[in-house]
Amino acid sequence: MVARATLHSGTLGGYGSCDTAAERETAMVSYSNNKQDYLARLRRIEGQIRGLQRMVEEDKYCIDVLTQVSAATKALQSFSLSLLEEHLATCVVDAARQGGEQADIKVKEASDAIARLVRS
Amino acid sequence: MVARATLHSGTLGGYGSCDTAAERETAMVSYSNNKQDYLARLRRIEGQIRGLQRMVEEDKYCIDVLTQVSAATKALQSFSLSLLEEHLATCVVDAARQGGEQADIKVKEASDAIARLVRS
Amino acid sequence: MVARATLHSGTLGGYGSCDTAAERETAMVSYSNNKQDYLARLRRIEGQIRGLQRMVEEDKYCIDVLTQVSAATKALQSFSLSLLEEHLATCVVDAARQGGEQADIKVKEASDAIARLVRS
Amino acid sequence: MVARATLHSGTLGGYGSCDTAAERETAMVSYSNNKQDYLARLRRIEGQIRGLQRMVEEDKYCIDVLTQVSAATKALQSFSLSLLEEHLATCVVDAARQGGEQADIKVKEASDAIARLVRS
């Protein structure tokens, strides 16, 4: 953890935990840099979704609604790409350094998440 | 409008307007069937986005957050595909029947919206 | 057919048939405008795929291979968006004018194709 | 390289090089396991693209052409996801172990490639 914080302090700040829910019970870490940025982005997306509800309520033209849906989808994608980059830079890099099975597990897990993103 | 309502009453119910904002000022139409379904779907998606904020707040594992983002993205996509199908079945079909330039305009507009969806 | 050719002569030229394989056996129509353009695009994509094989053969750097895959995927997408626009402007518009069940069938079919594109 | 071959021999075989074109001039490595699989997949995709050309030549129904395009796109996506997983498991993991700037560079590069895939 210390190593990571040092290494990536300039670039990525760091949100989240590299441990799954089960592992984390003992070691709670909250990194505050990117977290506020992530929350702000999600709040903006929530605003876009509420805007969409208003558009539907007011019978706005379908094509205009679709344009807004594309914007919200792009914002979600961009959010997940940032999250993924940070995950690679912290959790996957850490696991690689620890070596052994853990590296393989983290790579497989990240690859599965990437596949879900690419296919959604 | 009457023709459309008759034609598609069984299949698509019908939300929205085939007219752009400018055209609609005089002829306000609100179709209530699909509208409630669309609003319900958007409220569920809003709930997913708020769920994501909670996950980030609580430092949930990145991969789990990413899984939820994929679910929300899929829900948005599915929403826009329904909206688009209804738009084709009502506005584009109506314009085709009116013929002339209007058909070309609606087809171009729908194609551009599809391109934005495919690329987002 | 004549009506369509007249209507879209300036914009879309026209490739393909609005009839499914079964219907078409008796009425073979070959429109030559866009067809040559479509074939040229597919040949370019084929060239990109062969280029990818060469890159793999020569152990090119993964990231460079991935960049080329993205380019080929975008070219395929762009090809399908053109094809779809033409399909809407000809087959779907024609079916809408004929009215009846045929319009509903064509809209459903096009919507399913769009869903496959969006999800692939 | 030895470390990697040992580590991933069971899982990933290994195609390609973790070095960019410039770096590779001195150290040519050709890993043969996955390479044959990758080439076989690309040849199948090339066959799909040629099949598409035949369909266009024979004026096949647009919707059937679009279905084939979706299949080819999915095959390309699946190819790139495999390549990316291997890249993470070998090049990114290796760079992480070497530490320093190299890890950051490889993570950034992989993230950019993922963004291109997600957006294409």
Side-chain angles (χ1 to χ4, degrees), chain D residues 4-96:
Chain D
R4 182 201 316 166
T6 312
L7 225 148
H8 300 285
S9 57
T11 9
L12 283 163
Y15 140 79
S17 164
C18 294
D19 311 311
T20 57
E23 298 165 330
R24 293 184 55 222
E25 302 227 334
T26 46
M28 183 64 204
V29 193
S30 180
Y31 326 141
S32 56
N33 286 11
N34 285 355
K35 192 168 166 173
Q36 293 314 312
D37 173 55
Y38 288 141
L39 286 173
R41 288 163 81 168
L42 287 172
R43 276 191 292 262
R44 266 198 300 278
I45 294 169
E46 190 194 334
Q48 289 177 297
I49 306 298
R50 271 207 297 267
L52 280 164
Q53 290 171 51
R54 246 182 337 264
M55 291 179 88
V56 170
E57 289 274 16
E58 296 169 4
D59 295 296
K60 292 293 186 216
Y61 186 45
C62 285
I63 296 292
D64 296 333
V65 177
L66 288 171
T67 302
Q68 280 307 101
V69 176
S70 292
T73 307
K74 270 183 198 296
L76 267 177
Q77 258 179 10
S78 166
F79 170 79
S80 58
L81 290 169
S82 300
L83 204 58
L84 186 68
E85 179 168 0
E86 186 181 339
H87 181 71
L88 294 177
T90 54
C91 304
V92 175
V93 162
D94 279 359

Side-chain angles (χ1 to χ4, degrees), chain C residues 15-21 24 28-31 35 38-39 42-43 45-46 49-50 52-67 69-70 72-74 76-77 79-81 83-84 87 91 106 109-110 113 116-117 119-120, chain D residues 15-21 24 28-31 35 38-39 42-43 45-46 49-50 52-67 69-70 72-74 76-77 79-81 83-84 87 91 106 109-110 113 116-117 119-120:
Chain C
Y15 140 79
S17 164
C18 294
D19 312 310
T20 58
R24 294 185 53 225
M28 184 64 203
V29 193
S30 181
Y31 329 139
K35 192 168 165 172
Y38 287 141
L39 287 172
L42 287 172
R43 275 191 293 262
I45 295 169
E46 189 192 331
I49 306 298
R50 269 207 298 266
L52 280 165
Q53 290 171 50
R54 243 178 344 259
M55 292 179 86
V56 170
E57 288 275 16
E58 296 168 7
D59 295 295
K60 294 291 186 216
Y61 187 45
C62 284
I63 296 292
D64 296 333
V65 177
L66 288 170
T67 302
V69 176
S70 291
T73 306
K74 268 181 200 296
L76 267 177
Q77 259 180 8
F79 169 79
S80 57
L81 289 169
L83 203 59
L84 186 68
H87 180 72
C91 303
K106 291 292 180 199
E109 202 181 55
R116 280 192 297 272
L117 286 181
R119 287 170 180 146
S120 71
Chain D
Y15 140 79
S17 164
C18 294
D19 311 311
T20 57
R24 293 184 55 222
M28 183 64 204
V29 193
S30 180
Y31 326 141
K35 192 168 166 173
Y38 288 141
L39 286 173
L42 287 172
R43 276 191 292 262
I45 294 169
E46 190 194 334
I49 306 298
R50 271 207 297 267
L52 280 164
Q53 290 171 51
R54 246 182 337 264
M55 291 179 88
V56 170
E57 289 274 16
E58 296 169 4
D59 295 296
K60 292 293 186 216
Y61 186 45
C62 285
I63 296 292
D64 296 333
V65 177
L66 288 171
T67 302
V69 176
S70 292
T73 307
K74 270 183 198 296
L76 267 177
Q77 258 179 10
F79 170 79
S80 58
L81 290 169
L83 204 58
L84 186 68
H87 181 71
C91 304
K106 291 291 179 198
E109 200 182 55
R116 279 191 298 272
L117 286 181
R119 286 168 181 149
S120 71

Side-chain angles (χ1 to χ4, degrees), chain B residues 60-102:
Chain B
K60 293 292 186 214
Y61 186 45
C62 285
I63 297 290
D64 296 332
V65 178
L66 288 171
T67 302
Q68 279 308 100
V69 177
S70 291
T73 306
K74 269 180 199 296
L76 267 177
Q77 259 180 8
S78 166
F79 168 80
S80 57
L81 290 169
S82 299
L83 204 58
L84 186 68
E85 178 168 0
E86 186 182 339
H87 180 71
L88 293 177
T90 54
C91 304
V92 175
V93 161
D94 280 0
R97 284 174 188 161
Q98 287 165 31
E101 209 179 46
Q102 202 51 26

Side-chain angles (χ1 to χ4, degrees), chain A residues 15 17 24 28 30 35 46 50 53 56-57 59-61 65 67 77 83 106 109 116, chain B residues 15 17-19 24 30 35 43 46 50 53 56-57 59-61 65 67 83 106 109 116:
Chain A
Y15 140 78
S17 164
R24 294 185 53 223
M28 184 63 205
S30 181
K35 191 169 167 172
E46 190 193 332
R50 269 207 297 267
Q53 290 171 51
V56 169
E57 288 276 15
D59 295 297
K60 292 293 187 215
Y61 186 45
V65 177
T67 302
Q77 258 180 9
L83 204 58
K106 291 292 179 199
E109 202 182 54
R116 279 191 297 272
Chain B
Y15 139 79
S17 164
C18 295
D19 312 311
R24 294 187 53 222
S30 180
K35 192 169 165 171
R43 277 191 292 261
E46 189 193 332
R50 269 207 297 266
Q53 290 170 51
V56 170
E57 288 275 16
D59 295 297
K60 293 292 186 214
Y61 186 45
V65 178
T67 302
L83 204 58
K106 291 292 179 197
E109 201 183 55
R116 280 192 297 272

Side-chain angles (χ1 to χ4, degrees), chain B residues 12 20-21 28 39 41 48 58 80 99 113-114:
Chain B
L12 282 163
T20 58
M28 183 62 203
L39 286 172
R41 286 162 82 168
Q48 288 177 298
E58 296 167 7
S80 57
I114 294 164

